[in-house]
Amino acid sequence: MSARLMKKVLNEQHHLPQHVSEEEEEEENDSEPITRSSINPFDLLNDNDSEPEDQGDELMSTNEILTSYDDKEESASLKPTAEVSTSNPKLKKKKKKKNKDSAVANKMDDKELDLILEDLSLNVDTSAEQPVSTKDKNKSVKQHAASVLQVDPKYLNAENELRRIFGSKVVKSFESSNQVGSSRQMRGVRGRVHYNLKKSVLVTPSDNWLRCDDSLVMQFLEIKNGYNYFRYVHSLSYSQSQRAFEAAKAINDINGIASILQHRPYHIDSLLTMAEYFAVLGEQQMSADAIARCLYALECAWHPMFNPLQGNCQLKFKHDTNKPIFTALFTHMKNLDRRGCHRSALEVCKLLLSLDSDDPMGAIFCIDYFALRAEEYAWLEKFSEEYKSDNSMWLFPNFSYSLAISRFYLEGEACKDDCMDSEKASSSDLMKQALMLHPSVIKKLVAKVPLKDRTWTDILKHAFFRSDQTGIPSQDHLINIYVERNYLLWRIPDLQKVLSGAAKLVIETLESNKSEVKDWACVRKEAFSSEKNEYGHLMVSDFSDSLSSIPRENLQQFMGVPRMMEGMQDENQFANLPGNGHAPRRVANRNALAVLFESMLPWVTYEDGVDGGPDDDQHDDHRQDNQ
């Protein structure tokens, strides 16, 4: 029974009318009539006279027992009433009787009161409020309360992390400078309409965004092994926009996709496509804004039971409607990393990994990088010990080296606190083990970082580190991902010393015991037994920080044929869309991509509605001439 419902029941019992005998009523009625001036107007706010006074002795006894519950609130509510209506003899008698009953009730044992509260809670039917049994729900939450993938919402906001890094004054001055620049560009342009948007956890919606409709919803599927399973569902109108998107995508018509966003500004696949298009053009801010809009629309469709921050909700990637949220979260995570918000990126990575235990996006191969950049060394070790996986975490190249780095920093902190843990392996031993298991990492790091000291030249001369391939497809692919994602960490001189020192120890060990080469080769074949690349679906470029751009003139082939563009705006395709498929006012007869570019800018606005009279047409022509 909820606390709110319990309080409501107690208040109802508390305000039941006192049992008054018929003789007392006759005496009171004959003694003095109640005048209009003696009535306390605040008594109308109470429920004392709302029930009939012919209640039985059972109600009176229950009221006597529950009167002792919350004496402070009773005394506080009776005091002002007594001061205002002292001339009412009926209220005086009721007050005396209440005081007498409360004195009797105070002598009761606390155990008896607890029994009454339990009876009240048993008599209330809460099945309508909770579709899932409370016992199963509490068990599920308790099972995942201490999950290592539990997301802290206060770290999801990138602006909060920027304030922690640079200080609030620096961030405010930067924001104010941007506002000044925007205000200059707003001269002569009408301001955008502001909406009261729904608050979200993943992103902070801008004031210039439109409201999100309910065409995309989330459906609850089942509860299995303590996890709640969900999937996104498209409405009929959203499905029509989806088919229009597929048609535009088939002919590489970016204008057609932009026109879909004019009619449905929160179409997920169109926003993801435009985000990729903006990124290729070098418009990173517009690309990030499109991803933020996409995440906002996805979050607005969440089911009431869907709470991904607890780590007990699953959105399986096998459902086509669930795939966009994985792409959006992965891209958002990379955008946060480029801004230097590594702790926020870590929380998004944890969320991405918790949504599907199969990890379709390969979040497990970059979560260690964000943990190291965010200086969450203890959490990384805890994650490697507690996270369930088919293979041991240390067998992956990224965790083999990242756990050694984490141990190195934890050793430095332990030296300051004089609390060294002798049971755990040292960072040197972990680094040596990583080199024995993945020796080809050395040569790739020397070329990628790059490392130009003579020490590395001597190390690469040894036969064990001479090759940059292991001959195992899955292992070589994961090593390429690791080097592409984590090479920046190895530019720190202290880590270079640890790596070179461990490499020299490996060379000494192999010279004294050459059989270890075969032993570690057997370990690699056992760990990566498949002859095929099991991780071929993960592109190495997706884990890269480099931004590839294409000149605008080379993108003309993706602008679409005008004739095909007219077919995309057919009224039959957009019959059920808002506005009957017609373009918003001051947008008609304009390039859809240009309109979309302008709509991403906070100082430009387009109004929905029907076209106006001649004045509006003249204003449209004048606006187009100015542009």
Side-chain angles (χ1 to χ4, degrees):
M1 185 175 182
S2 62
R4 181 179 296 177
L5 189 57
M6 173 69 73
K7 188 173 181 180
K8 182 179 179 181
V9 173
L10 291 175
N11 288 335
E12 290 177 355
Q13 296 291 339
H14 177 72
H15 290 295
L16 284 174
Q18 301 293 334
H19 180 73
V20 183
S21 62
E22 296 179 357
E23 297 179 356
E24 292 177 350
E25 290 184 2
E26 292 178 356
E27 293 176 0
E28 291 171 355
N29 294 332
D30 296 336
S31 60
E32 181 180 356
I34 301 176
T35 60
R36 184 181 301 269
S37 60
S38 63
I39 296 178
N40 182 12
F42 295 99
D43 289 340
L44 298 176
L45 301 177
N46 299 327
D47 297 331
N48 292 336
D49 300 331
S50 60
E51 298 290 339
E53 297 188 0
D54 55 347
Q55 302 291 338
D57 295 336
E58 296 179 358
L59 294 178
M60 178 180 176
S61 60
T62 306
N63 189 27
E64 291 177 355
I65 294 173
L66 295 177
T67 306
S68 60
Y69 182 82
D70 200 5
D71 292 334
K72 295 182 180 179
E73 294 183 359
E74 180 182 359
S75 61
S77 61
L78 289 176
K79 184 175 181 180
T81 306
E83 292 176 357
V84 176
S85 58
T86 54
S87 61
N88 194 344
K90 183 177 180 180
L91 295 178
K92 286 183 179 181
K93 291 185 178 181
K94 286 187 177 182
K95 180 180 178 182
K96 291 180 180 180
K97 189 172 183 61
K98 285 183 180 180
N99 294 335
K100 182 178 179 181
D101 294 338
S102 62
V104 176
N106 287 333
K107 298 179 181 179
M108 295 188 60
D109 192 9
D110 294 338
K111 294 183 179 180
E112 187 175 357
L113 181 58
D114 294 338
L115 293 175
I116 296 172
L117 294 177
E118 291 179 2
D119 293 338
L120 289 174
S121 63
L122 292 175
N123 293 333
V124 177
D125 184 14
T126 59
S127 59
E129 295 182 1
Q130 298 179 355
V132 183
S133 61
T134 308
K135 186 180 294 183
D136 295 339
K137 187 175 181 180
N138 293 337
K139 183 179 179 181
S140 176
V141 174
K142 185 177 180 180
Q143 181 179 357
H144 300 88
S147 174
V148 290
L149 293 179
Q150 189 171 358
V151 179
D152 194 343
K154 68 181 180 180
Y155 291 111
L156 284 175
N157 195 327
E159 283 70 21
N160 293 340
E161 185 171 2
L162 291 175
R163 291 186 180 94
R164 289 193 297 269
I165 296 174
F166 302 104
S168 58
K169 293 183 179 179
V170 177
V171 176
K172 287 181 179 179
S173 63
F174 178 76
E175 291 177 352
S176 61
S177 63
N178 285 345
Q179 291 176 359
V180 171
S182 300
S183 62
R184 291 177 180 175
Q185 295 175 343
M186 287 176 63
R187 295 176 181 176
V189 182
R190 289 173 294 129
R192 182 180 292 272
V193 180
H194 295 274
Y195 298 98
N196 294 326
L197 299 177
K198 179 181 178 181
K199 293 183 179 180
S200 60
V201 179
L202 299 179
V203 295
T204 303
S206 301
D207 295 335
N208 61 311
W209 290 4
L210 299 176
R211 293 191 184 94
C212 189
D213 56 12
D214 56 351
S215 59
L216 181 68
V217 295
M218 181 179 285
Q219 178 185 9
F220 171 74
L221 298 178
E222 61 177 348
I223 299 179
K224 185 177 180 182
N225 298 328
Y227 288 91
N228 301 326
Y229 288 81
F230 302 86
R231 73 173 177 182
Y232 283 98
V233 179
H234 296 167
S235 65
L236 179 61
S237 60
Y238 193 96
S239 299
Q240 292 180 351
S241 300
Q242 187 67 22
R243 289 192 294 269
F245 167 79
E246 297 294 340
K249 183 180 178 182
I251 60 175
N252 296 327
D253 186 6
I254 198 68
N255 260 320
I257 296 175
S259 66
I260 295 174
L261 289 176
Q262 294 180 26
H263 299 275
R264 189 173 296 281
Y266 288 106
H267 185 259
I268 306 301
D269 288 311
S270 297
L271 286 172
L272 292 176
T273 303
M274 296 309 304
E276 185 177 359
Y277 178 78
F278 289 145
V280 170
L281 289 179
E283 301 289 345
Q284 300 302 324
Q285 184 59 40
M286 287 188 173
S287 176
D289 186 78
I291 292 296
R293 292 171 190 251
C294 181
L295 290 174
Y296 177 72
L298 289 168
E299 184 174 348
C300 288
W302 282 359
H303 192 274
M305 293 176 56
F306 185 74
N307 187 8
L309 305 184
Q310 297 292 337
N312 62 340
C313 296
Q314 290 283 293
L315 283 172
K316 283 300 181 181
F317 191 77
K318 63 181 181 181
H319 300 294
D320 292 337
T321 54
N322 290 345
K323 293 180 180 180
I325 192 173
F326 290 91
T327 305
L329 285 174
F330 193 84
T331 309
H332 181 58
M333 178 183 66
K334 294 195 298 183
N335 292 336
L336 292 173
D337 176 45
R338 293 189 183 100
R339 296 180 62 184
C341 303
H342 305 297
R343 182 57 194 274
S344 300
L346 174 62
E347 298 301 318
V348 174
C349 190
K350 288 159 60 177
L351 175 61
L352 185 62
L353 187 59
S354 66
L355 289 180
D356 192 341
S357 55
D358 298 332
D359 189 21
M361 303 301 295
I364 195 69
F365 302 117
C366 57
I367 194 170
D368 58 301
Y369 169 78
F370 296 122
L372 293 177
R373 294 300 300 268
E375 300 181 358
E376 293 292 324
Y377 310 120
W379 178 88
L380 181 60
E381 289 192 348
K382 180 182 178 182
F383 173 80
S384 64
E385 296 171 358
E386 298 183 8
Y387 183 71
K388 297 179 181 180
S389 180
D390 296 336
N391 299 325
S392 298
M393 299 296 295
W394 67 274
L395 293 176
F396 292 129
N398 57 322
F399 275 93
S400 296
Y401 288 92
S402 294
L403 288 176
I405 296 175
S406 178
R407 174 51 45 186
F408 169 75
Y409 285 112
L410 288 176
E411 287 174 352
E413 295 177 359
C415 290
K416 296 179 181 179
D417 300 337
D418 296 332
C419 55
M420 296 290 293
D421 190 354
S422 58
E423 297 181 357
K424 294 186 177 181
S426 63
S427 59
S428 179
D429 294 336
L430 291 177
M431 190 68 71
K432 179 181 176 181
Q433 178 179 283
L435 289 172
M436 297 290 284
L437 186 59
H438 309 286
S440 61
V441 171
I442 283 283
K443 190 169 185 178
K444 291 182 178 295
L445 284 177
V446 170
K448 183 71 177 178
V449 172
L451 302 174
K452 300 181 180 180
D453 295 344
R454 185 175 180 180
T455 305
W456 302 106
T457 305
D458 297 337
I459 292 174
L460 292 179
K461 288 181 179 179
H462 195 272
F464 190 69
F465 298 114
R466 191 175 301 167
S467 176
D468 59 351
Q469 299 291 328
T470 62
I472 303 176
S474 297
Q475 185 182 13
D476 289 334
H477 188 70
L478 292 182
I479 288 176
N480 291 335
I481 291 178
Y482 169 73
V483 174
E484 188 67 32
R485 173 70 279 177
N486 294 51
Y487 77 95
L488 290 175
L489 296 173
W490 296 104
R491 292 183 176 179
I492 301 175
D494 292 340
L495 293 182
Q496 295 178 11
K497 293 180 181 178
V498 176
L499 183 62
S500 60
K504 293 177 181 179
L505 291 177
V506 169
I507 294 175
E508 294 176 0
T509 303
L510 295 179
E511 290 179 353
S512 60
N513 187 3
K514 296 183 179 181
S515 62
E516 288 201 17
V517 177
K518 296 181 179 179
D519 296 340
W520 284 101
C522 294
V523 173
R524 286 193 291 271
K525 291 182 179 179
E526 185 69 22
F528 306 96
S529 57
S530 179
E531 297 180 357
K532 297 181 180 179
N533 185 5
E534 298 177 339
Y535 306 97
H537 62 283
L538 302 176
M539 303 297 294
V540 178
S541 58
D542 291 338
F543 297 85
S544 176
D545 279 333
S546 59
L547 300 174
S548 57
S549 60
I550 301 177
R552 295 177 183 267
E553 54 270 14
N554 296 340
L555 292 174
Q556 294 299 325
Q557 55 179 331
F558 300 103
M559 299 301 292
V561 186
R563 214 174 351 179
M564 302 301 297
M565 180 63 199
E566 294 175 2
M568 291 297 302
Q569 295 181 351
D570 186 76
E571 293 184 358
N572 295 329
Q573 276 189 316
F574 296 101
N576 293 330
L577 292 180
N580 297 326
H582 297 292
R585 186 172 57 178
R586 315 193 193 287
V587 176
N589 301 325
R590 296 195 56 204
N591 184 280
L593 188 58
V595 170
L596 182 62
F597 264 106
E598 294 177 357
S599 66
M600 307 290 278
L601 303 176
W603 54 84
V604 180
T605 181
Y606 294 100
E607 296 181 357
D608 296 334
V610 233
D611 291 340
D615 295 338
D616 291 337
D617 296 336
Q618 293 177 4
H619 185 78
D620 291 341
D621 297 337
H622 179 66
R623 181 187 177 96
Q624 292 179 7
D625 293 338
N626 291 337
Q627 292 177 349

